[in-house]
Amino acid sequence: MTEQTCIEQVVETVRAAAKLPLTRVVEPRSRLVEDLGVDSLDLVGVLLAVQDRFEIVIDDADLDKLTTIGKLATYVQERLAENEPANDRDSARVAVSARG
Amino acid sequence: MTDRIVVIGHSAVTCMGRDIDETWNGIVAGRSGLARHASLDPERFLQDIAGVVPDLGAEYDDDLAQVSKLDARSIHLAMIAAVQAYRDASLDRHASSIDRDRFAVVVGSALGGIDLFEAERERSAKRKSLATSPYLIPGLIINQPGGQIAQRLDLHGPSLAPANACASGGHAIVVGAMMIQADMADFALCGASESCLTPMIVNGFATMKALLGRKPNDRSYTNPAEASRPFSFDRAGFVLSEGAATLVLTKSSVAERLEIPVQAVLEGWSLNTDGYHMATPHADSIARCLRNALRHSRAEPESVDYYNAHGTSTIVNDQTETKVLKEVFGTHASRLAVSSIKGAIGHALGAASAIEASVCVRAIRDQILPPTINHVPDPELDLDFVPNKARSARIDRVMSASFGFGGVNNALILRRSTHD
């Protein structure tokens, strides 16, 4: 999955889970709580929806780091890369590292 | 004149219609809201005929925006019904005259957010972690519809969520009236909602043989609209449906002061408990419940013009209820108009008695007896069940009764407001 595709899917998932109005601008730098108005209960729902959508597990220890759409998308790509077979892993790592 | 408990607003959301107008008009026209639904896949459900409220959700109704994350249909149905009844009572136009700390909310349900619970359980089974939706518990609890209604309408009096199986709605109306009588509230928004068309619940009722199962030789097989047929010779179980309804109650003096039209008087009521069996009704106990309601109303049996029956279309209920009516009403039973609207809209469990109360308000307003549709006479059940066609009649006093698993019974008596 490309970085752009991942971001688009994360935005779509967050929009649906947090029931954000269509008029709300959501971009990689959008902060979930401060910019998108996601409260603490909704945040749990958003992260669970992301887990379900991408079939990954978000470690509780990582929750505090996932504050923006961009950080969440990066995290998703990293978890997906870990889950991929070994021969696909190298290309995924390149994609992740290319984002900086 | 004694201060009475009066109905100033009413609503219903059913498989027949999105409001009480559509519901009432469909019932009076003799239509059925029941149908075969593809969502009730025969691979997973023992019955695919049900009463479903179509197009339910925030995308169809602005009043549901607040509850869109709480994906339990009973919450959505309760919200629609509550807002409709509140508007029907013109209370949005009397905002400055209402003490919101004295506005009670009593909204019950038999099974609450069980649909959300089952859906979330299926999602959890596919998940790699043990996490569940943070909305599971808030959406599951039976008092959440009342909580959301209070939030939406800015109501802060006492609230309660009666969970009394198929009698929940009637119990809620009685509790609301009692809160006003106890001077805990000036107004009470009361009723019930239900949506539990899930595999576990449908199959649970079907396995008990309470629900009409799928039967190739049954007339419902070719015509699902004939699945529910209370008091009929070939009745074979109830048909599950979803819905919600609300009454707004206040004291007659308050309605008069605010110049809000009185739609009906809630003249009397009764609650009792069989203490007999987990699911089988007890005729003597039900008879006492009906008699107590008459006593509470100080009304003679002969003064009741219409009895809105629990009438589930099960063999046992309809037989027991007919026997009770003969016992309680004596010679008047043969002249009493009796009907069950469950033939038209199925059995919405906890919401049923609230829907039936709303329909009784309409029956009094329009002076029309709603019919028992799909009726084929049973020689053992020989009352006037208003078979298949609505009738005009003088309707001054109505009794509506409901009985639920766990042996809970209620009876409400509504009276035309001009009949003093």
Side-chain angles (χ1 to χ4, degrees):
Chain A
M1 185 188 298
T2 66
E3 180 183 3
Q4 189 55 36
T5 304
C6 184
I7 288 172
E8 286 171 5
Q9 290 187 6
V10 167
V11 168
E12 187 181 285
T13 308
V14 171
R15 266 193 189 284
K19 309 284 183 190
L20 296 178
L22 291 173
T23 50
R24 180 72 57 87
V25 175
V26 183
E27 48 194 0
R29 66 181 175 184
S30 299
R31 293 171 297 178
L32 294 166
V33 175
E34 295 86 347
D35 299 329
L36 302 181
V38 174
D39 70 20
S40 59
L41 196 65
D42 291 343
L43 187 59
V44 180
V46 163
L47 296 177
L48 192 66
V50 168
Q51 293 188 66
D52 288 352
R53 169 77 179 258
F54 297 98
E55 297 184 345
I56 60 169
V57 174
I58 298 177
D59 196 302
D60 281 355
D62 297 329
L63 294 179
D64 291 345
K65 294 184 286 188
L66 305 175
T67 54
T68 68
I69 293 289
K71 287 176 181 173
L72 193 51
T74 301
Y75 186 88
V76 167
Q77 282 219 300
E78 288 171 353
R79 294 288 81 76
L80 290 174
E82 285 174 5
N83 295 342
E84 282 174 3
N87 56 348
D88 293 339
R89 204 171 288 158
D90 290 343
S91 57
R93 278 199 182 122
V94 170
V96 170
S97 61
R99 286 196 310 278
Chain B
M1 194 178 71
T2 313
D3 224 356
R4 293 287 201 175
I5 302 295
V6 294
V7 180
I8 57 169
H10 70 298
S11 68
V13 184
T14 68
C15 59
M16 186 74 87
R18 292 295 293 250
D19 55 31
I20 183 63
D21 289 333
E22 286 182 17
T23 298
W24 172 246
N25 291 339
I27 290 170
V28 170
R31 290 200 297 271
S32 169
L34 305 179
R36 182 165 279 124
H37 292 278
S39 59
L40 302 176
D41 175 7
E43 292 288 318
R44 302 177 66 218
F45 290 85
L46 289 169
Q47 176 55 281
D48 55 359
I49 299 170
V52 176
V53 177
D55 301 334
L56 182 67
E59 62 272 39
Y60 302 103
D61 196 323
D62 291 342
D63 287 319
L64 297 181
Q66 176 195 305
V67 294
S68 60
K69 292 169 194 161
L70 293 166
D71 211 6
R73 288 171 69 88
S74 60
I75 295 176
H76 296 198
L77 291 163
M79 180 66 85
I80 295 173
V83 171
Q84 287 180 358
Y86 191 83
R87 288 180 183 142
D88 185 50
S90 310
L91 292 176
D92 43 346
R93 295 205 296 272
H94 291 87
S96 60
S97 309
I98 296 170
D99 180 351
R100 310 198 90 78
D101 287 332
R102 288 182 55 80
F103 205 127
V105 178
V106 190
V107 177
S109 180
L111 292 158
I114 193 74
D115 56 336
L116 171 61
F117 179 84
E118 281 205 43
E120 183 58 24
R121 194 173 55 176
E122 286 184 20
R123 283 191 288 268
S124 286
K126 296 174 191 162
R127 209 167 272 147
K128 291 177 180 173
S129 73
L130 296 176
T132 63
S133 165
Y135 308 116
L136 171 63
I137 304 301
L140 177 65
I141 54 178
I142 289 178
N143 62 309
Q144 192 62 257
Q148 291 300 307
I149 289 163
Q151 191 176 325
R152 169 73 177 74
L153 297 173
D154 189 24
L155 310 177
H156 306 283
S159 68
L160 204 68
N164 292 82
C166 304
S168 299
H171 275 56
I173 291 165
V174 170
V175 170
M178 290 170 66
M179 284 181 175
I180 294 171
Q181 282 194 332
D183 200 28
M184 297 167 70
D186 297 326
F187 296 92
L189 190 152
C190 35
S193 70
E194 199 76 62
S195 179
C196 55
L197 290 161
T198 68
M200 293 298 280
I201 302 303
V202 170
N203 299 344
F205 279 122
T207 308
M208 289 179 77
K209 307 296 180 196
L211 192 83
L212 174 75
R214 236 188 344 269
K215 295 175 181 170
N217 297 323
D218 191 271
R219 55 175 158 143
S220 65
Y221 202 75
T222 49
N223 186 3
E226 295 186 13
S228 181
R229 40 202 193 244
F231 303 107
S232 279
F233 180 70
D234 62 349
R235 68 191 184 280
F238 75 81
V239 178
L240 195 57
S241 65
E242 57 182 4
T246 309
L247 296 187
V248 181
L249 306 178
T250 189
K251 286 186 281 196
S252 49
S253 58
V254 174
E256 191 176 340
R257 177 167 55 80
L258 296 178
E259 297 181 342
I260 298 173
V262 171
Q263 300 175 355
V265 178
L266 180 57
E267 190 182 50
W269 55 79
S270 173
L271 308 177
N272 77 351
T273 309
D274 294 346
Y276 167 69
H277 190 268
M278 66 178 87
T280 303
H282 191 262
D284 293 346
S285 182
I286 291 170
R288 281 197 296 278
C289 185
L290 270 50
R291 284 198 184 100
N292 288 344
L294 287 167
R295 194 172 301 125
H296 190 230
S297 294
R298 295 178 186 170
E300 295 300 321
E302 293 75 20
S303 68
V304 176
D305 302 302
Y306 169 53
Y307 175 84
N308 183 285
H310 188 53
T312 55
S313 183
T314 63
I315 290 171
V316 173
N317 176 85
D318 296 0
Q319 196 172 42
T320 305
E321 198 168 9
T322 301
K323 178 184 167 197
V324 165
L325 290 175
K326 288 180 178 177
E327 192 181 315
V328 171
F329 289 94
T331 54
H332 182 59
S334 60
R335 295 189 295 275
L336 179 66
V338 177
S339 75
S340 168
I341 62 168
K342 290 186 176 80
I345 61 169
H347 191 355
L349 302 187
S353 47
I355 295 169
E356 286 154 16
S358 269
V359 162
C360 285
V361 172
R362 273 304 159 100
I364 290 171
R365 189 195 76 173
D366 292 357
Q367 298 285 287
I368 292 176
L369 298 166
T372 305
I373 66 166
N374 302 321
H375 188 261
V376 173
D378 179 336
E380 283 188 30
L381 312 183
D382 51 354
L383 300 179
D384 171 13
F385 293 112
V386 194
N388 302 316
K389 281 192 175 172
R391 289 202 311 258
S392 292
R394 182 181 173 93
I395 307 172
D396 289 333
R397 184 172 277 126
V398 169
M399 177 185 279
S400 182
S402 293
F403 326 123
F405 284 180
V408 286
N409 310 309
N410 67 55
L412 309 175
I413 295 185
L414 290 156
R415 182 168 59 78
R416 197 178 179 184
S417 65
T418 53
H419 182 66
D420 272 308

